[in-house]
Amino acid sequence: MSTPRSLRALPLAGVLLLASQSQAAEPSSDDESADDVLVVQAPRTRSSASERSLDAQDIQALPARSADQVLRAMPGLHQSAHGGEGKAYQYFLRGFDAVHGADLAVTLEGVPLNEPSNVHAHGYLDLHFLPTALLSGVLLRPGSYAPQGGDFAVAGSADFSLGLSQPGAQLTLGVGSDLSGEASLSYRPKDAPSGSFAIAELEGGQGVGMSRGYQQLRAGAGWEGTRGSVDHRIWALAYHGNFESPGVLREDMLAADQVDFYDAYAGSGGGLSQRVLAAAELSQSHQGSAWSLTGWAGLRRLELTQNYTGYLSDAENGDGTLQAHEALSAGLVGDGSRTLRPGMVLLGGGSLRVDSVDQSTSTVDTGGEVLALQQSLSGVSAGAEGWISLPLHPTSWLRVEPSLRGGAFLVAPEGIRAWAPALAPRLSLQLFEERATQLQLAYGRGYRSPTLAGTTASGRAPMATSDSMELGLRSAPLPWLSWRGAGFATWVSDEIVFDHLEARYLATGSTRRVGVDAGLQVRPIERLRWELDGTWSLGRYTETGADIPYAPRLLLSSGLYATGLPLGPTTLTAGLRGWVLGRRPLPGGFSSHPAFVLDLRAQVAWKSWGVGLSVDNILGNQWRDGEFVYASNWVAGSTASELPARHFTAGAPRVARLTLTRRF
């Protein structure tokens, strides 16, 4: 089985770095099992104390039904799914409202997944197309410290590895209490590496409450091999999804029993999402050098119908809008390493990307019929980025890694052409990396490329940047005990906030954040671990001192995980995870409700059979996924009030799902 790209050391030189050391690095107590540490973790150097990685077994133990939900393992990250089962999640990370991906960069085998200049949100990050069965690993990096983190790596970044862990054929069937069903068929030749696979998945359901139905179809294929000393890999993924969206409800109407908690207003919305993504990779490691080159291309179609304000502007037809987006994207991603002398390896990489975009926004009535075209936009955006890094060991107890990332972005909307440069210095210092307790200091600049819609007629293309610092400790004083703690600070040049009246995202000015992150892990026995994580952050606008709205200040999570735990003739892979979300500041001096949710996922395997059970929101808490303050009117033909009101989107209800798996 080939090593996943996201777990290669920066990104291909891990074995070279390890071989150049006079001593092996101290084994990490992160999320991998002991065997995985020897193969994957030891060669890799961290960009910060908060960085973590998961292998395939760790991912299978998470209470996560989608690739998006796997990202919840990132320290300090919370998600909101207020758009229904099919719209991209909204991400909150370390005091950031990262919107639908504007401040969180995610790649798949190095291929970027964020969508520049998407009609709904810049950096739109929709992972519904990615089957969880194909996730062989993920590298999670809060902050902007790693040299590999490019466009949109403002609050953090992640890289998924792709591969089918189980050889042979596998059929999975499942049903849920939300009137949902699923079927999955996958195949990997028995003697083939994990990158050779075929998979098809069908999923759909009615959901709990009103306007929560969805249908999803995924398919993928890959081939991996070697010719001579060069590794070859090709993969392709395709997705089609339809979904309804429950939208928002007014708090005062809920209190007056005019609506139920899981209701939806007429014309609340829904959407269509389609995506095809394919890539081909060549890589080689030979005599002190390594390189990798990937070419990729993708097609994208997205339609979103939404109404946040009811009949506030149009008392007869309603304030619904239809956003349509089509894009053709292509690019190259490359990286490499070269041993300069024993103990010194030069790392570097680069990327090219071009996106051709065609999008529009129209007004629609409550039945979804188009009334008028509001605006349309076509254009091309392109970016070229490169990075270089030189890890140094001036003494046996100190590792210093200075790095530099730079790029240039072109945005050309309908006859306008504008350029925007980016320069991002980064630095990581680690003390006592071969000891049980390690100290790490990291600094990094992140950036968010300009958008087609934000480019002015004069050719100005605004670009946001962030500067982050983190000081952290990691310690593994005992084989079964490890902990970490870090303090961080981030300054952002231009914050993005969603305006529900305008139904678009607005730049609101510079901000600063400070916070702390801590974690504890206990492994009482092999393949069983208990984790406790907590992040607190305070974010405010630099000029006014006002709170940054919507971003949570406190996130606590705890989980008990079993990864292939032997139980007599069976094995158990399971995760029980609970999280607490503190109050979030809202506009007008309001604050949101806190939330507590407990989720479960478990699978028992016996010979060629497997039975799985997942339960979302075990306690059945009625929690608010999102909360907002703005003016609205949800009674057609009535007099509209301009006074702001509280709105919410209902969080996930209690839903149980049962699956049966047969391996052939």
Side-chain angles (χ1 to χ4, degrees):
M1 181 183 299
S2 63
T3 303
R5 178 191 182 98
S6 67
L7 299 182
R8 296 173 190 164
L10 294 176
L12 287 170
V15 176
L16 301 175
L17 281 169
L18 183 63
S20 67
Q21 307 286 330
S22 59
Q23 290 179 294
E26 187 76 19
S28 168
S29 59
D30 203 358
D31 298 16
E32 297 81 9
S33 66
D35 292 340
D36 293 326
V37 169
L38 293 175
V39 176
V40 174
Q41 188 70 10
R44 185 172 57 82
T45 55
R46 301 179 185 275
S47 61
S48 73
S50 300
E51 181 179 306
R52 73 187 306 187
S53 62
L54 305 178
D55 63 17
Q57 282 194 324
D58 294 325
I59 292 174
Q60 291 166 8
L62 291 174
R65 296 180 53 248
S66 66
D68 308 78
Q69 295 176 3
V70 171
L71 295 178
R72 293 173 180 170
M74 181 181 290
L77 186 140
H78 174 69
Q79 295 171 328
S80 171
H82 60 261
E85 191 72 41
K87 182 180 176 182
Y89 281 70
Q90 187 167 359
Y91 300 92
F92 301 92
L93 176 58
R94 284 190 166 184
F96 278 84
D97 177 357
V99 199
H100 291 287
D103 300 316
L104 177 62
V106 176
T107 56
L108 174 63
E109 294 288 348
V111 175
L113 300 183
N114 298 73
E115 301 175 41
S117 296
N118 185 282
V119 67
H120 189 68
H122 188 38
Y124 193 76
L125 181 59
D126 185 352
L127 302 182
H128 287 92
F129 79 101
L130 182 54
T132 55
L134 290 182
L135 300 182
S136 61
V138 61
L139 183 58
L140 305 168
R141 290 177 169 133
S144 54
Y145 316 116
Q148 295 89 341
D151 193 14
F152 305 114
V154 175
S157 62
D159 184 30
F160 285 106
S161 300
L162 190 67
L164 195 59
S165 58
Q166 289 284 350
Q170 180 170 296
L171 174 66
T172 299
L173 302 174
V175 294
S177 62
D178 58 345
L179 300 181
S180 65
E182 61 179 290
S184 174
L185 179 62
S186 62
Y187 174 71
R188 168 185 157 193
K190 293 186 180 296
D191 297 326
S194 63
S196 296
F197 60 84
I199 190 170
E201 293 185 344
L202 177 63
E203 183 180 357
Q206 178 176 315
V208 175
M210 300 171 59
S211 300
R212 287 171 168 83
Y214 67 98
Q215 301 86 38
Q216 297 178 341
L217 175 63
R218 304 179 188 88
W223 173 80
E224 182 178 2
T226 301
R227 176 170 295 183
S229 62
V230 179
D231 296 326
H232 308 259
R233 186 170 188 182
I234 299 174
W235 54 265
L237 300 172
Y239 171 77
H240 173 88
N242 293 287
F243 58 95
E244 297 176 307
S245 175
V248 299
L249 296 174
R250 282 180 64 122
E251 286 278 6
D252 54 2
M253 296 183 72
L254 177 67
D257 293 327
Q258 294 175 300
V259 294
D260 290 330
F261 194 78
Y262 295 109
D263 277 355
Y265 299 124
S268 56
L272 165 71
S273 180
Q274 297 174 332
R275 190 170 192 175
V276 177
L277 184 64
E281 177 186 1
L282 300 175
S283 61
Q284 182 185 48
S285 298
H286 182 66
Q287 294 184 349
S289 64
W291 60 268
S292 173
L293 181 64
T294 301
W296 63 272
L299 291 169
R300 178 69 162 133
R301 182 188 177 195
L302 178 68
E303 294 181 0
L304 293 175
T305 303
Q306 56 199 4
N307 186 347
Y308 295 102
T309 56
Y311 299 88
L312 183 67
S313 299
D314 189 332
E316 180 181 354
N317 297 303
D319 303 341
T321 61
L322 169 63
Q323 294 179 317
H325 180 90
E326 294 184 358
L328 172 63
S329 306
L332 290 172
V333 180
D335 50 44
S337 63
R338 179 72 179 178
T339 302
L340 303 180
R341 59 180 177 81
M344 182 180 293
V345 179
L346 180 66
L347 310 170
S351 64
L352 296 171
R353 174 172 186 162
V354 179
D355 295 86
S356 177
V357 174
D358 188 2
Q359 59 189 223
S360 64
T361 301
S362 305
T363 57
V364 296
D365 61 17
T366 55
E369 293 296 324
V370 175
L371 301 176
L373 177 66
Q374 284 186 326
Q375 58 184 14
S376 63
L377 178 66
S378 298
V380 175
S381 63
E385 301 178 76
W387 62 273
I388 189 170
S389 176
L390 184 62
L392 302 170
H393 292 77
T395 69
S396 60
W397 51 269
L398 175 63
R399 177 179 64 83
V400 181
E401 184 177 353
S403 58
L404 182 66
R405 188 177 187 98
F409 297 90
L410 167 69
V411 282
E414 299 179 346
I416 303 172
R417 182 174 298 178
W419 290 89
L423 190 64
R426 293 164 186 179
L427 176 67
S428 175
L429 290 84
Q430 184 166 325
L431 283 73
F432 318 119
E433 65 177 338
E434 297 179 1
R435 299 183 183 179
T437 300
Q438 306 162 6
L439 174 67
Q440 191 153 8
L441 174 66
Y443 160 78
R445 174 169 293 174
Y447 51 84
R448 186 191 314 124
S449 60
T451 69
L452 289 169
T455 303
T456 66
S458 61
R460 181 175 177 269
M463 187 166 181
T465 59
S466 70
D467 289 278
S468 299
M469 296 185 66
E470 179 182 305
L471 177 62
L473 280 171
R474 297 185 69 94
S475 182
L478 298 170
W480 51 270
L481 175 67
S482 63
W483 60 269
R484 73 173 194 281
F488 58 87
T490 304
W491 295 264
V492 179
S493 65
D494 210 353
E495 192 77 22
I496 291 181
V497 174
F498 186 72
D499 186 321
H500 293 81
L501 296 180
E502 297 290 336
R504 62 191 181 98
Y505 292 88
L506 304 176
T508 59
S510 61
T511 57
R512 62 175 179 271
R513 292 167 177 82
V514 295
V516 292
D517 169 79
L520 175 68
Q521 185 180 107
V522 179
R523 291 180 179 267
I525 60 175
E526 186 180 1
R527 299 190 179 278
L528 182 68
R529 73 181 189 274
W530 172 73
E531 294 179 348
L532 177 65
D533 290 283
T535 301
W536 176 87
S537 61
L538 177 64
R540 288 179 173 163
Y541 284 92
T542 305
E543 294 184 3
T544 65
D547 291 331
I548 302 172
Y550 305 121
R553 291 180 176 174
L554 177 66
L555 177 63
L556 301 174
S557 66
S558 181
L560 181 64
Y561 304 99
T563 54
L565 182 67
L567 296 176
T570 68
T571 59
L572 173 67
T573 298
L576 177 66
R577 180 179 184 265
W579 52 265
V580 175
L581 184 68
R583 296 183 182 274
R584 291 168 278 181
L586 302 176
F590 295 96
S591 61
S592 70
H593 295 75
F596 169 63
V597 176
L598 188 64
D599 300 318
L600 168 71
R601 182 182 184 186
Q603 178 167 308
V604 176
W606 176 72
K607 294 184 177 180
S608 60
W609 292 90
V611 177
L613 173 68
S614 67
V615 184
D616 299 336
N617 192 3
I618 294 174
L619 302 178
N621 293 335
Q622 289 190 343
W623 61 284
R624 288 154 175 78
D625 188 52
E627 296 188 58
F628 317 94
V629 178
Y630 58 89
S632 70
N633 174 32
W634 295 97
V635 180
S638 65
T639 302
S641 171
E642 297 294 334
L643 294 177
R646 292 180 64 121
H647 301 72
F648 73 94
T649 56
R654 178 165 51 210
V655 174
R657 299 177 179 89
L658 184 67
T659 59
L660 179 65
T661 299
R662 176 73 161 92
R663 292 181 294 276
F664 301 92

